[in-house]
Amino acid sequence: ENRLSNLGQAVIIGCALFYIKGVGFLPIAALDGLFLYMGIASFGGNSFYNRIVLLFTDITRVEARGLDMFYGKVPKSTVHKYTALQFFILLCIFIVTLLPYVSALFPLGIAILVPLRIYKLPEWFGKENVDLLDAEGVAPDAEEAGDEAGVGPQTDLAMVGDNTEL
């Protein structure tokens, strides 16, 4: 059911490309509402958002809220520093997009994030800590080592054989 609904959504979005003039008749407020809903709905599985919520969550409620993915495995100060660094990078990205002549450097800023994640973050926070804090998906250096950190496409494919209902 879940895979089929995602496929249906993608097909409908693809069909909208053929009817782009008709999309122009949709009210801007409706499109803004749609994109706002899509953004808010995606917060639940976002590790950055979960770590921000963790900053304001009572220590006794961490497990009940489902925020204990790395709790106890990574020092709390490291979690807060890592989250602060990501928030600073997010602010820098928004500032770059708002400045008229500097906004051309936006792709360069995004490209710099890859070597930052692979080389500098493990140096600053420790490789194991960064892998736990950034555990959704496969770690960037996992292909070289042959191991996987977190949940990747291989895990999803392994579950297909067990699921007989579609």
Side-chain angles (χ1 to χ4, degrees):
E1 175 185 317
N2 193 16
R3 291 184 186 109
L4 188 61
S5 65
N6 289 339
L7 177 64
Q9 291 172 4
V11 168
I12 291 171
I13 290 171
C15 290
L17 294 175
F18 297 112
Y19 192 62
I20 201 73
K21 288 186 181 184
V23 173
F25 293 117
L26 291 174
I28 296 295
L31 293 175
D32 288 345
L34 172 69
F35 292 129
L36 181 63
Y37 171 76
M38 289 171 49
I40 291 172
S42 69
F43 278 175
N46 188 314
S47 63
F48 178 59
Y49 173 75
N50 287 340
R51 281 186 273 110
I52 289 175
V53 170
L54 185 64
L55 288 171
F56 304 105
T57 302
D58 183 26
I59 197 162
T60 60
R61 302 292 300 158
V62 169
E63 190 174 328
R65 286 181 142 270
L67 299 172
D68 57 346
M69 296 86 62
F70 41 79
Y71 197 71
K73 300 173 188 169
V74 179
K76 194 173 183 180
S77 63
T78 303
V79 173
H80 295 323
K81 288 176 190 174
Y82 187 81
T83 305
L85 177 66
Q86 279 191 317
F87 191 73
F88 174 73
I89 292 170
L90 179 69
L91 286 176
C92 289
I93 289 171
F94 274 113
I95 289 170
V96 165
T97 59
L98 294 175
L99 300 174
Y101 296 106
V102 182
S103 64
L105 298 176
F106 178 77
L108 180 65
I110 297 298
I112 288 173
L113 293 177
V114 174
L116 178 73
R117 165 60 178 92
I118 294 173
Y119 300 112
K120 284 299 179 188
L121 290 182
E123 183 180 312
W124 294 337
F125 298 104
K127 183 182 180 331
E128 295 80 18
N129 292 339
V130 172
D131 287 344
L132 285 170
L133 291 170
D134 196 21
E136 295 183 269
V138 178
D141 56 351
E143 292 179 275
E144 297 169 9
D147 60 339
E148 294 176 8
V151 177
Q154 292 79 10
T155 305
D156 291 338
L157 292 175
M159 289 195 281
V160 171
D162 297 337
N163 188 2
T164 56
E165 293 181 353
L166 289 178

